[in-house]
Amino acid sequence: MISRDEQKCFWAYDIEWWCNKLRSSENGVSIKQANDYLQKFGIHKRKQSNIYRDLKLLSGQFLNPLMLLLIGAIILSAFLGDISEVVIVSMIVLSTGILSYIQERNAGKVVQKLQSLISAKCTVLRGGIYSDIPSASVVPGDIIVFNAGDIIPADCIIVSSNELHINEASLTGESFPVQKFAGKIKEDTPLPKRYNCLWEGTNVVSGKAKALVINTGNDTFFGDIVIRSGTTVESTFEKGIKDFGYFLMKITLFLSIFILIANILNHKSIVDSTLFALALAVGMAPELLPAITTIAMSAGANRLLKKSYCQKIIIDTKFRGGKFVMF
């Protein structure tokens, strides 16, 4: 069993020690061992059910500012006894939320297909057989073969190398490539000087190497940075839509309250004044704006997927009989 301390300072142990710990060898782990690991810890393990994810997505459709404004109008209308407005606005809210959910769910599936098109692959040695697999399927104990241009998918320790230079700017900020080679170094060696390690998120500038995978996923140095950052960056488009929604909500509330106060000062009925202000708020709110933006993004994702498939077909075409054949 490997302890956390051993994982965090794997550069201080030699290849033989790690092969013994990971039940690996110069031929890599067996195919059965790799599949068992993936089933238990890897990409095949689901962190949440599809039902939970769909419910979370559906509930999120009703949390934007415009939807909250309309929900507030429904509650106030119900309190005042205006059943017809409750029914009408409720139907608008439900239809908009469900339509947005369907489109966003479809867009999510399109994004998954796009990610599958651009998924990175690497060459591993398993059971003495070389094969190209998705980088997400790499497991501890795999022997990976690296060439110039390859992206490193996990934290590794070098088995052998030939004029290997790595770009580690994503981790250290150093713009010049760092030479790497096999060896054993002290536990307290700083990150830029760990010459026997390869880190996830870096890439090979030149040379060749074989390396033994030690840490994958969240256990890598890069994964630890992502976990500690712990924030999801909001896109400019999403921020703009949210700010626009809050702006409309503020304007609507301000005008509704102003008209309500003006009617009360003119000795109008409080109930009638409230209903009028409420009708104004509902009329000013663009109820279908969330659905329209979601549909537009979904359509854009579908167009991007079609273009990506066309480009992939063009790349996959080959010369046949001396002619460039499209299929």
Side-chain angles (χ1 to χ4, degrees):
M1 189 68 180
I2 302 172
S3 66
R4 295 293 299 175
D5 291 337
E6 291 169 344
Q7 282 184 305
K8 290 181 179 179
C9 57
F10 63 89
W11 53 88
Y13 302 89
D14 55 28
I15 296 297
E16 290 76 15
W17 189 90
W18 275 115
C19 284
N20 181 54
K21 279 285 186 176
L22 297 171
R23 293 183 295 162
S24 184
S25 66
E26 60 182 10
N27 293 322
V29 295
S30 66
I31 296 177
K32 182 180 183 303
Q33 184 180 343
N35 291 335
D36 290 343
Y37 185 91
L38 286 173
Q39 289 291 341
K40 189 174 182 181
F41 302 106
I43 58 176
H44 300 294
K45 183 179 180 181
R46 294 183 178 179
K47 295 183 179 181
Q48 55 181 224
S49 66
N50 291 330
I51 296 177
Y52 174 81
R53 185 167 58 249
D54 288 344
L55 288 175
K56 185 177 180 181
L57 180 61
L58 179 61
S59 62
Q61 307 304 319
F62 302 96
L63 298 179
N64 65 72
L66 296 177
M67 283 295 197
L68 293 176
L69 177 63
L70 293 174
I71 292 173
I74 292 172
I75 295 173
L76 187 56
S77 297
F79 179 76
L80 295 174
D82 191 349
I83 303 302
S84 61
E85 186 164 339
V86 170
V87 173
I88 294 172
V89 179
S90 296
M91 290 179 62
I92 293 173
V93 170
L94 287 175
S95 60
T96 302
I98 293 173
L99 183 60
S100 298
Y101 160 74
I102 293 172
Q103 292 297 325
E104 190 167 341
R105 189 171 184 269
N106 292 336
K109 292 181 179 179
V110 171
V111 171
Q112 290 178 353
K113 292 181 180 179
L114 285 170
Q115 290 175 340
S116 67
L117 289 177
I118 60 175
S119 61
K121 292 187 177 183
C122 59
T123 303
V124 300
L125 181 62
R126 285 182 179 173
I129 301 173
Y130 289 99
S131 58
D132 293 332
I133 64 171
S135 297
S137 298
V138 169
V139 301
D142 271 332
I143 299 291
I144 304 182
V145 179
F146 292 110
N147 293 291
D150 288 345
I151 297 175
I152 297 169
D155 289 352
C156 312
I157 186 168
I158 297 174
V159 176
S160 62
S161 65
N162 181 17
E163 295 297 327
L164 181 67
H165 291 81
I166 304 295
N167 178 11
E168 294 186 343
S170 59
L171 296 180
T172 64
E174 177 58 56
S175 58
F176 292 99
V178 180
Q179 186 174 11
K180 299 281 187 173
F181 44 88
K184 181 181 176 181
I185 57 179
K186 294 182 180 179
E187 182 177 332
D188 58 354
T189 304
L191 177 65
K193 296 183 179 180
R194 296 171 189 169
Y195 59 80
N196 65 341
C197 298
L198 301 178
W199 307 101
E200 180 188 11
T202 60
N203 64 281
V204 181
V205 176
S206 62
K208 299 180 179 181
K210 281 186 179 181
L212 177 69
V213 176
I214 306 298
N215 295 324
T216 61
N218 293 336
D219 293 329
T220 64
F221 187 81
F222 193 80
D224 184 57
I225 293 175
V226 173
I227 292 175
R228 281 187 292 175
S229 63
T231 55
T232 302
V233 180
E234 190 175 46
S235 68
T236 304
F237 180 79
E238 291 173 335
K239 186 177 184 301
I241 290 295
K242 184 179 290 185
D243 291 343
F244 179 66
Y246 280 120
F247 173 75
L248 284 178
M249 184 172 68
K250 291 176 183 177
I251 294 296
T252 302
L253 289 175
F254 173 78
L255 290 176
S256 299
I257 294 173
F258 176 78
I259 292 174
L260 175 63
I261 294 174
N263 284 332
I264 292 176
L265 292 177
N266 287 329
H267 307 290
K268 298 289 182 66
S269 169
I270 295 179
V271 175
D272 291 340
S273 299
T274 303
L275 289 174
F276 180 77
L278 190 60
L280 178 66
V282 173
M284 290 183 62
E287 294 88 352
L288 293 178
L289 179 62
I292 292 171
T293 55
T294 304
I295 291 171
M297 289 188 290
S298 177
N302 275 296
R303 286 197 298 269
L304 182 59
L305 178 63
K306 291 178 182 178
K307 288 183 179 180
S308 299
Y309 270 126
C310 291
Q311 291 175 356
K312 186 175 185 296
I313 290 174
I314 292 173
I315 293 172
D316 290 340
T317 54
K318 299 179 180 179
F319 282 99
R320 296 184 180 179
K323 296 182 180 179
F324 193 70
V325 180
M326 295 291 295
F327 55 90

